[in-house]
Amino acid sequence: MSKVLSAVAWPYANGPRHLGHVAGFAVPSDVFSRYMRMAGHDVLMVSGSDEHGTPILVLADKEGVSARELVDRNHAVIAAELADMGCSYDLYTRTTTANHYAVAQELFTQVWKNGYMVEQTTRGAISPSTGRTLPDRYIEGTCPICGYPEARGDQCDNCGNQLDPTDLINPRSKIDGEVPEFIETQHFFLDLPALADALREWLEGREASGSWRPNVIKFSLNILQEIRPRAMTRDIDWGIPVPLDGWRDQPTKRLYVWFDAVIGYLSASVEWARRTGEPERWREWWNDPQALSYYFMGKDNITFHSQIWPAELLAYAGHGSRGGEPGGFGVLNLPTEVVSSEYLTMEGKQFSTSRGYVIYVRDVLDRYGPDAIRYFICAAGPESQDANFTWAEFVQRNNSELVAGWGNLVNRTAAMIAKSFGEIPQPGALEPVDEAVRAKVTAAFDSVGDLLAHQRVKAAVAEAMRTVGEVNKYVTDTEPFKLKGDSERERLATVLHTLAQSVADLNTMLSPFLPHASNAVHATFGGEGDFMPMPVVEHVADLDDGRPYPVITGEYSGTPPWRSEPVRVGAPVNKPTPIFRKLDESVVEDELARLRGDEQVPGDDGA
């Protein structure tokens, strides 16, 4: 058994999540975490809402509320969405906790003591009309390196190079189109060049392991070529104070939101341990060199997880060219793997909240339930290349694969058992056809499991569904519905028992992808309680200042093992109800009409 940290990207608390968000970080990380628990590993899955930064202030001003009010509301919304999706966090928290402030300030202070946080005068961008600092990502212009016209002030998404806003040609504010004004200001910079050799050694070791996705390791090594110091403080009044004399009392100097957000993986682990009553237990995942850590995100965040966060960890430990020593948290583990997904588009276009070209997670959950969309993301999501979500493909996969494939196998197996026996029957001697299908199903545990262990979710679900097809073929070959009369009753019992066992095994294999459905299948065949444990939203008090807020947590010790477990002869099986709902073809046009903004769509109550 290994200690496995599942570090999931922190969604930004500027509003509810859309489908593109959860396709990149939420579903892939949950499938992996659930499988690793089933495989016997001790998994700690953590994340939370990222709540600092200028974009929060801009939106709060627009809505006429305080930044705190805005993030309180949005954090609650996001937590409810992710819990209803079935994302099995041990702790989903937020960056506005006193615990997170303390952990972030500890890392900053030790990095500074070790000499890797250096003070420099730089030119910062401000809005001429408001006087407010503009975040790098809110400034666009032409990339000076490749000429891409929509490069951001921190990075060009076209060529991948890091940038500063002052590098851009014809810079403009994304908020209102203004040309920003650049003024001199003092900031602390993370001395990345002093950490470059250590970063390169680590990345080359990860490349040699062969475990990273090729696009991620190539991108990560490439950005080392132009490495330079990065500002880790900002001129802003919403965020974590700089914990140094002469700085901490300055009301408009705060830690950069991206500096503190990645520290959330550590602070959430610390908070989780404190809430369990074993405050030092987080060290099992962070200080033990044998522990494994996997970071899940979309490709636009690779830089922060393969360069900035590892650099912070190396600097905290004193492992750069300036030397130094670890702080009280000790030497913290570098990522085992950065698991980055590509982009999901919708009907051939990029998601755009501002233009209303979006499908929100809550709407999908309410209209189609969590497992239908989880299945689509697993089967056709942006795992290693950009993917396109279309309503036509969503309906087609739901109906032909979930309903007609897996759902049909479950329902007709249960229906035949209910009709002929009312319980899982005692089998007789197996014939070669029975042994063959059982061998195929049990072999799939190894093939599907190996794919999941290497984050190949798309191939894993395809292999599981291929095995579903093998068992459906077994029904066709054995024709149990034709086995009638006393002389064939033992053979009927054998075939139906073989089917019940195969369905139970397939349910185990599919449960990381379809946790809600796995509980329904389990109940259909006489199982008691949840087969796959589910997350819950709990309202807690801040451990240090008592402020209330919701978290996602759960008790996952009852997770079933990743293996074939014998079905219980005599378990009651009643006439089943469908596990999945077949969608009418009209769903496609209804959803496209919503995208177009048509005034009335059937089922919207005139809205």
Side-chain angles (χ1 to χ4, degrees):
M1 181 180 72
S2 298
K3 298 287 184 181
V4 175
L5 176 70
S6 184
V8 189
W10 289 57
Y12 198 55
N14 60 342
R17 298 299 85 190
H18 63 60
L19 200 57
H21 293 137
V22 296
F25 72 89
V27 173
S29 62
D30 186 60
V31 171
F32 174 78
S33 300
R34 287 182 179 276
Y35 165 72
M36 294 300 275
R37 292 189 190 106
M38 297 175 80
H41 300 290
D42 195 354
V43 175
L44 179 60
M45 181 178 176
V46 293
S47 184
S49 297
D50 176 10
E51 300 178 324
H52 294 128
T54 302
I56 294 293
L57 288 175
V58 171
L59 187 58
D61 284 351
K62 183 178 179 181
E63 296 190 12
V65 298
S66 69
R68 168 65 72 171
E69 289 172 322
L70 180 75
V71 297
D72 281 352
R73 182 188 72 206
N74 289 336
H75 168 68
V77 168
I78 295 169
E81 292 169 348
L82 294 175
D84 288 349
M85 281 287 290
C87 297
S88 55
Y89 294 102
D90 290 279
L91 183 66
Y92 180 90
T93 180
R94 59 194 307 188
T95 58
T96 51
T97 66
N99 172 79
H100 176 73
Y101 273 48
V103 173
Q105 290 178 327
E106 158 65 16
L107 259 74
F108 182 93
T109 302
Q110 190 63 33
V111 170
W112 173 75
K113 286 180 178 178
N114 285 340
Y116 299 100
M117 201 66 75
V118 294
E119 191 174 345
Q120 293 183 6
T121 299
T122 185
R123 295 176 69 205
I126 65 169
S127 165
S129 62
T130 67
R132 175 169 285 162
T133 300
L134 292 171
D136 296 349
R137 287 198 165 197
Y138 269 51
I139 303 173
E140 281 188 346
T142 300
C143 176
I145 299 171
C146 71
Y148 181 60
E150 296 181 1
R152 298 194 310 261
D154 61 348
Q155 177 180 306
C156 175
D157 285 339
N158 186 57
C159 66
N161 283 286
Q162 296 178 54
L163 301 170
D164 285 328
T166 53
D167 297 329
L168 296 174
I169 300 169
N170 297 322
R172 60 194 177 276
S173 168
K174 288 181 65 177
I175 299 171
D176 53 19
E178 285 184 320
V179 176
E181 180 181 342
F182 291 96
I183 62 171
E184 285 196 348
T185 181
Q186 291 291 109
H187 284 297
F188 279 101
F189 283 67
L190 181 61
D191 191 357
L192 289 169
L195 298 157
D197 288 344
L199 279 169
R200 182 175 289 105
E201 181 181 356
W202 167 67
L203 282 170
E204 288 176 348
R206 301 321 304 152
E207 183 182 35
S209 74
S211 61
W212 283 35
R213 292 175 180 172
N215 60 317
V216 179
I217 192 65
K218 181 180 178 181
F219 179 87
S220 302
L221 287 167
N222 283 344
I223 59 179
L224 283 177
Q225 306 306 314
E226 299 293 332
I227 198 167
R228 58 186 178 181
R230 291 288 296 268
M232 291 294 137
T233 55
R234 286 292 188 270
D235 293 303
I236 186 175
D237 57 6
W238 172 246
I240 301 176
V242 181
L244 298 177
D245 290 340
W247 284 76
R248 69 176 76 246
D249 297 327
Q250 293 191 44
T252 59
K253 295 287 186 183
R254 295 289 185 269
L255 299 184
Y256 177 33
V257 63
W258 264 110
F259 177 84
D260 91 81
V262 290
I263 294 172
Y265 302 117
L266 175 62
S267 68
S269 303
V270 172
E271 181 183 345
W272 169 82
R274 293 178 66 190
R275 291 194 180 280
T276 65
E278 299 179 80
E280 296 298 305
R281 195 176 168 209
W282 62 271
R283 295 184 183 276
E284 297 174 19
W285 285 268
W286 285 92
N287 291 152
D288 181 357
Q290 300 303 310
L292 305 173
S293 56
Y294 298 85
Y295 289 73
F296 293 85
M297 75 218 59
K299 67 179 178 182
D300 56 332
N301 291 337
I302 294 175
T303 297
F304 298 97
H305 293 83
S306 66
Q307 184 181 92
I308 303 300
W309 178 227
E312 290 179 34
L313 295 169
L314 289 165
Y316 183 80
H319 287 170
S321 63
R322 297 177 184 275
E325 59 184 21
F329 291 138
V331 176
L332 299 165
N333 290 336
L334 295 170
T336 302
E337 185 166 352
V338 172
V339 186
S340 169
S341 297
E342 301 294 297
Y343 290 141
L344 183 73
T345 56
M346 184 170 62
E347 302 291 344
K349 298 180 183 179
Q350 288 187 342
F351 285 90
S352 174
T353 303
S354 61
R355 294 192 300 270
Y357 196 81
V358 68
I359 175 68
Y360 289 108
V361 170
R362 175 53 58 197
D363 293 335
V364 176
L365 290 172
D366 289 347
R367 292 201 281 269
Y368 309 109
D371 280 356
I373 194 59
R374 285 178 66 110
Y375 181 78
F376 182 93
I377 290 170
C378 293
E383 182 177 293
S384 56
Q385 61 184 18
D386 291 351
N388 185 39
F389 174 88
T390 69
W391 285 108
E393 185 180 1
F394 173 73
V395 170
Q396 182 269 325
R397 285 187 178 273
N398 180 84
N399 292 350
S400 66
E401 296 173 23
L402 282 183
V403 176
W406 175 227
N408 182 50
L409 175 61
V410 171
N411 287 343
R412 63 177 173 169
T413 297
M416 288 187 289
I417 293 175
K419 180 180 179 181
S420 298
F421 295 95
E423 61 184 31
I424 296 178
Q426 178 71 44
L430 298 186
E431 295 184 0
V433 67
D434 311 321
E435 294 173 340
V437 75
R438 290 299 307 131
K440 290 175 182 177
V441 173
T442 54
F445 276 104
D446 288 338
S447 56
V448 175
D450 183 66
L451 291 166
L452 286 176
H454 293 89
Q455 303 90 42
R456 294 184 60 193
V457 172
K458 187 178 294 187
V461 76
E463 175 66 8
M465 293 301 287
R466 186 194 65 77
T467 309
V468 169
E470 293 284 359
V471 180
N472 270 318
K473 183 177 181 298
Y474 170 77
V475 178
T476 302
D477 292 343
T478 57
E479 299 182 313
F481 40 82
K482 292 185 178 179
L483 298 174
K484 300 177 181 178
D486 292 343
S487 63
E488 295 182 307
R489 189 160 180 79
E490 182 177 316
R491 178 60 189 152
L492 176 61
T494 302
V495 171
L496 293 183
H497 183 277
T498 300
L499 276 173
Q501 185 65 64
S502 298
V503 167
D505 291 346
L506 287 167
N507 192 46
T508 299
M509 267 180 263
L510 286 166
S511 60
F513 313 102
L514 308 170
H516 304 82
S518 74
N519 290 335
V521 173
H522 179 66
T524 296
F525 290 87
E528 297 179 355
D530 281 346
F531 181 73
M532 185 60 89
M534 303 302 290
V536 295
V537 173
E538 290 185 357
H539 291 266
V540 301
D542 190 293
L543 292 166
D544 300 300
D545 67 19
R547 186 189 299 268
Y549 61 96
V551 300
I552 305 174
T553 187
E555 172 51 63
Y556 308 114
S557 61
T559 296
W562 186 260
R563 61 173 181 260
S564 176
E565 293 283 345
V567 294
R568 179 168 61 89
V569 172
V573 179
N574 299 314
K575 183 178 179 181
T577 56
I579 301 297
F580 302 104
R581 176 169 62 95
K582 184 176 182 180
L583 300 177
D584 191 271
E585 294 295 331
S586 63
V587 161
V588 177
E589 182 52 39
D590 289 348
E591 292 294 350
L592 292 176
R594 288 189 178 94
L595 279 180
R596 292 192 301 266
D598 291 1
E599 290 188 3
Q600 186 166 347
V601 177
D604 276 2
D605 297 326

